[in-house]
Amino acid sequence: MEHYKEIAEYAAQLGAILTNKGVTITTAESCTGGGVSYALTDTPGSSAYIERCFVTYSNQAKHELLGVSQQTLDQYGAVSEQTVLEMARGAQRAANAQVAIAVSGIAGPSGGSVDKPVGTVWFAVANGTQVLAFHQVFAGDRASVRLQAIEFALKKTMMVVNS
């Protein structure tokens, strides 16, 4: 598909930035199912900046592995700014990494609502003490939404870490 080349390029560029800065990264993924960490680890030399990553597909996993509060999950849902911010911070702590990427969304084909249609994805990037959230609504089928989310996550992380 069209996004594979861009994903590989962004992952390699992000890896070079992480290597040059001497920082480590982790991921906390839900709808992408480990796609961001797969892309990062597909780059030769990635063991220098990645030790562990998290696929937290269920709310229970988000709570138990990343420390996302049950109150946040109950009040805002898994696909929310509040949840991805907590996911990023939790992954950063659990992996003892300087940088964390968190992704949670609705890839479809079902599960959407008026407020959160299919294709809705929230992202957070933690870089040191800074954590930023981003929101996108992608078009397309499940595979397309997931690929677009992986590409967006890598691109945004690269921009945040390089700033």
Side-chain angles (χ1 to χ4, degrees):
M1 293 185 106
E2 64 197 63
H3 297 282
Y4 289 119
K5 183 179 178 186
E6 289 84 358
I7 288 170
E9 288 173 4
Y10 287 135
Q13 291 171 12
L14 178 55
I17 293 166
L18 294 166
T19 300
N20 289 340
K21 291 184 177 273
V23 297
T24 58
I25 192 168
T26 188
T27 65
E29 300 181 66
S30 188
C31 68
T32 49
V36 176
S37 59
Y38 177 87
L40 287 169
T41 59
D42 203 36
T43 303
S46 59
S47 62
Y49 48 85
I50 298 174
E51 181 183 318
R52 67 187 75 174
C53 297
F54 304 89
V55 176
T56 54
Y57 211 67
S58 71
N59 285 355
Q60 183 176 351
K62 289 173 184 66
H63 177 68
E64 290 176 3
L65 297 175
L66 304 175
V68 176
S69 83
Q70 194 59 53
Q71 182 179 348
T72 297
L73 292 165
D74 292 344
Q75 185 172 354
Y76 301 103
V79 181
S80 66
E81 177 179 10
Q82 295 83 354
T83 295
V84 294
L85 290 170
E86 289 186 34
M87 287 172 67
R89 281 289 186 225
Q92 199 178 27
R93 276 189 307 273
N96 195 28
Q98 289 86 12
V99 178
I101 308 168
V103 185
S104 189
I106 305 165
S110 61
S113 67
V114 173
D115 292 336
K116 297 177 186 178
V118 169
T120 300
V121 184
W122 276 96
F123 304 85
V125 179
N127 184 21
T129 59
Q130 175 186 37
V131 79
L132 302 171
F134 306 94
H135 171 253
Q136 291 288 301
V137 179
F138 299 112
D141 63 10
R142 182 177 181 82
S144 179
V145 168
R146 288 165 50 110
L147 287 172
Q148 290 173 82
I150 293 165
E151 182 179 343
F152 184 89
L154 291 166
K155 184 178 179 181
K156 278 296 185 186
T157 304
M158 186 173 56
M159 291 170 61
V160 169
V161 173
N162 210 25
S163 63

